[in-house]
Amino acid sequence: MGKGGDSSVVGKGKDASEMTKTSEKYTWAEVKKHSIPSDAWVVHNNKVYDVSNWHEHPGGGVIFTHAGDDMTDIFAAFHAAGSQAMMKKFLIGELIPESVEHKDQHQRKFEKAYRDLRSKLIMMGMFKASPGFYIYKQTANLSMWAASMAMMYYSDSTLVHIAAAMLMGLFFQQCGWLAHDFLHHQVFKNRRHGDYAGLFWGNLMQGFSVQWWKNKHNGHHAVPNLHNSSALAQDGDPDIDTMPLLAWSVQQARQYRELRADGQDSPFVKFMIKNQVIFYFPILLLARLSWLNESFKTSFGLGASTANAALELKLKGLQYPVIEKVFITLHHAWMFAFACGFGKFSLGYSIALYLLTTTSSGFFLAIVFGLGHNGMATYDADKRPDFWKLQVTTSRNITGGHGVPQAFVDWFCGGLQYQVDHHLFPMIPRHNLPKTHDFVESFCKEWNVQYHEADLYDGTLEVLDCLKTVGLEFVTEFLKDGPTM
């Protein structure tokens, strides 16, 4: 078993111990054996690190998504310059490059080329945020909130109340994009400042726990559309962990089946997957209710949404325990006042307005999330492609079309219309993504990498077609194996 989590810090100079570590050589096959949190090795620039049980990792449990794999590029995507210095204490040796048999000379040139592109974008200033842009976005968001509150407080019209509820739902969606930008550290160099802004727009204004979001979203970015390599591994994408309600591949349905004691699909699973194309939109409407529930449980220590999150909370706890709880409580307090018309409305009317606000927000958010990745390629975690191909082939950009102008798409999607580009460079501020997109598109054409985009209508049809196809494959497999009921 590895002992990286217990290693002592190495000093600045190279002592005898460090020299001994760097003299150790490991093959790729040996690295691949260490792929679970309690026994986790990772590779960065051909150096091997033992991060077993390193639950104190500042970014949380995302470190284990690349256990037994190369983290060079995802490390660069998430970390500020100089962060690799923290890794010295976990160094155990060097990788033998020739042992990585799945990389030929062409692949090595390809990886160097996209790393050079990242350096070029840094030199061009693409990673620098515009203060004016984010002042404008925050002011616009607060204006939406104030308008919704005023409409609910001053008006006695049911139509105005319905409009206020839906405007508040849209406000929650736009809060999601702002919190997303701040927590990806696109705006502030000081990461704590980004966290505080994320707590305001996430916990207080939107009702979502920053800790819950970070664990889930960082894991998603590291391994988009990947299935766990084993039941004990934590190298799969939590965003496609939608069983037993939705299956994005037959492989996902099989893995869920294997977790059951009897190794069989329950009648509920069979019914849902068979009809998942019908239930997709109703599930989107309920998405925010699920996220609110998970956020409340995370903030108050009542549970966790994934095994990775549960382990992180158990061993590390909340990064901002007091602020998380206070802001979540205040969110529900002001949302209660809004839904009941500040005490004017009946219980039934208040519940109806609350559900309208919550379901509309869930739909506004989830439709963008769904278009970003659903229906795109999925992979087994232990057979993932390189960083660039993984991010590009599992993501879909959203364009204007079918009567929907690009300007509306840009505003509505909050930067995630450039999902491919954002996944490649998550710390580039959204206002710089259009320029970044030109370089990414050109690079993909030069290296013959599949790159996909669709408008809101066609993209939604692609998602539904994927669900339908997987549902039919699931039923066919079930009938082929022979029903037992």
Side-chain angles (χ1 to χ4, degrees):
M1 298 292 287
K3 299 179 180 178
D6 302 318
S7 299
S8 58
V9 179
V10 177
K12 289 184 178 180
K14 275 195 174 185
D15 57 17
S17 174
E18 186 175 350
M19 292 294 291
T20 301
K21 288 179 180 179
T22 55
S23 67
E24 293 290 333
K25 305 292 182 182
Y26 297 99
T27 65
W28 182 249
E30 177 64 24
V31 171
K32 295 295 288 182
K33 295 177 183 178
H34 305 270
S35 60
I36 60 176
S38 60
D39 183 17
W41 289 11
V42 294
V43 175
H44 182 267
N45 286 332
N46 288 333
K47 293 186 182 296
V48 182
Y49 300 86
D50 183 351
V51 295
S52 304
N53 293 316
W54 188 29
H55 300 283
E56 298 80 15
H57 173 238
V62 67
I63 185 72
F64 301 121
T65 63
H66 278 65
D69 215 298
D70 192 321
M71 70 167 188
T72 302
D73 296 299
I74 195 63
F75 186 93
F78 272 102
H79 295 83
S83 299
Q84 60 268 28
M86 183 180 287
M87 297 297 296
K88 287 183 178 180
K89 59 183 177 179
F90 303 116
L91 180 66
I92 60 172
E94 295 185 353
L95 179 70
I96 302 172
E98 295 76 18
S99 69
V100 187
E101 297 177 353
H102 62 280
K103 290 186 181 183
D104 57 18
Q105 191 63 26
H106 176 80
Q107 178 64 26
R108 296 180 196 280
K109 288 181 178 179
F110 173 64
E111 292 182 4
K112 181 181 184 304
Y114 67 65
R115 291 166 187 169
D116 288 346
L117 175 58
R118 175 183 175 81
S119 298
K120 180 179 180 179
L121 292 172
I122 292 173
M123 295 297 292
M124 291 177 63
M126 290 296 102
F127 285 78
K128 294 180 180 179
S130 164
F133 175 82
Y134 282 102
I135 290 173
Y136 152 69
K137 291 303 298 183
Q138 292 182 89
T139 302
N141 266 29
L142 287 174
S143 297
M144 291 174 65
W145 180 81
S148 301
M149 298 292 277
M151 291 164 69
M152 199 66 81
Y153 183 81
Y154 289 109
S155 179
D156 293 322
S157 168
T158 299
L159 289 178
V160 172
H161 296 158
I162 291 173
M166 296 193 71
L167 181 60
M168 188 63 81
L170 196 56
F171 164 76
F172 287 148
Q173 186 227 37
Q174 293 294 309
C175 282
W177 308 151
L178 265 180
H180 173 268
D181 291 0
F182 284 116
L183 295 172
H184 266 303
H185 307 296
Q186 297 174 6
V187 185
F188 296 112
K189 289 184 178 180
N190 186 314
R191 297 198 163 203
R192 188 169 290 273
H193 294 166
D195 285 347
Y196 289 152
L199 287 161
F200 176 83
W201 290 109
N203 288 58
L204 179 61
M205 303 310 289
Q206 196 187 14
F208 290 172
S209 161
V210 161
Q211 182 102 1
W212 163 80
W213 185 90
K214 278 187 174 183
N215 176 275
K216 188 173 185 290
H217 194 70
N218 289 348
H220 158 70
H221 259 270
V223 287
N225 283 15
L226 293 194
H227 302 305
N228 283 321
S229 57
S230 70
L232 294 178
Q234 295 182 5
D235 49 8
D237 181 0
D239 274 12
I240 63 168
D241 184 17
T242 51
M243 287 291 291
L245 302 179
L246 299 171
W248 298 105
S249 70
V250 174
Q251 171 67 11
Q252 184 180 13
R254 290 194 195 109
Q255 285 190 336
Y256 188 80
R257 180 189 305 146
E258 292 168 1
L259 293 175
R260 289 179 55 86
D262 59 4
Q264 301 291 323
D265 296 309
S266 69
F268 177 75
V269 168
K270 294 172 186 174
F271 174 78
M272 289 301 299
I273 305 308
K274 179 182 177 181
N275 300 286
Q276 61 182 359
V277 70
I278 299 172
F279 289 110
Y280 178 63
F281 285 112
I283 288 172
L284 295 191
L285 292 173
L286 300 176
R288 177 172 160 81
L289 287 171
S290 173
W291 297 330
L292 287 171
N293 176 56
E294 295 299 338
S295 292
F296 188 87
K297 289 195 301 183
T298 298
S299 296
F300 288 89
L302 302 176
S305 56
T306 65
N308 183 289
L311 194 60
E312 178 180 301
L313 286 171
K314 177 182 177 181
L315 299 175
K316 184 180 178 182
L318 290 172
Q319 185 177 5
Y320 302 101
V322 176
I323 301 177
E324 287 254 20
K325 293 180 177 65
V326 171
F327 277 12
I328 287 287
T329 302
L330 289 176
H331 168 80
H332 288 292
W334 74 252
M335 185 57 196
F336 173 81
F338 171 80
C340 71
F342 301 89
K344 295 187 299 181
F345 305 150
S346 67
L347 178 61
Y349 193 73
S350 300
I351 292 174
L353 289 172
Y354 178 85
L355 289 176
L356 178 59
T357 302
T358 304
T359 55
S360 63
S361 173
F363 181 81
F364 295 150
L365 280 164
I367 194 68
V368 177
F369 295 156
L371 288 174
H373 300 282
N374 295 342
M376 298 300 293
T378 60
Y379 300 95
D380 292 333
D382 55 358
K383 297 177 182 177
R384 72 186 81 177
D386 62 71
F387 171 79
W388 185 281
K389 291 172 187 169
L390 174 64
Q391 303 298 337
V392 173
T393 60
T394 59
S395 303
R396 176 194 292 108
N397 276 7
I398 309 171
T399 65
H402 282 90
V404 180
Q406 185 65 46
F408 174 80
V409 172
D410 292 343
W411 175 81
F412 184 76
C413 297
L416 297 186
Q417 70 276 20
Y418 294 107
Q419 189 71 255
V420 174
D421 317 273
H422 167 65
H423 260 256
L424 291 168
F425 308 105
M427 289 195 292
I428 288 184
R430 73 168 97 161
H431 55 78
N432 286 334
L433 287 176
K435 292 180 181 178
T436 302
H437 170 72
D438 294 336
F439 288 97
V440 170
E441 187 175 26
S442 175
F443 184 90
C444 287
K445 289 179 179 177
E446 177 185 352
W447 288 91
N448 196 29
V449 178
Q450 179 185 352
Y451 178 94
H452 185 60
E453 57 186 20
D455 62 34
L456 288 165
Y457 179 78
D458 287 338
T460 300
L461 290 183
E462 291 173 5
V463 173
L464 294 175
D465 184 63
C466 171
L467 290 170
K468 182 179 179 181
T469 300
V470 172
L472 288 173
E473 290 177 356
F474 176 82
V475 171
T476 301
E477 182 178 278
F478 168 68
L479 293 176
K480 181 179 179 181
D481 293 341
T484 57
M485 53 177 290

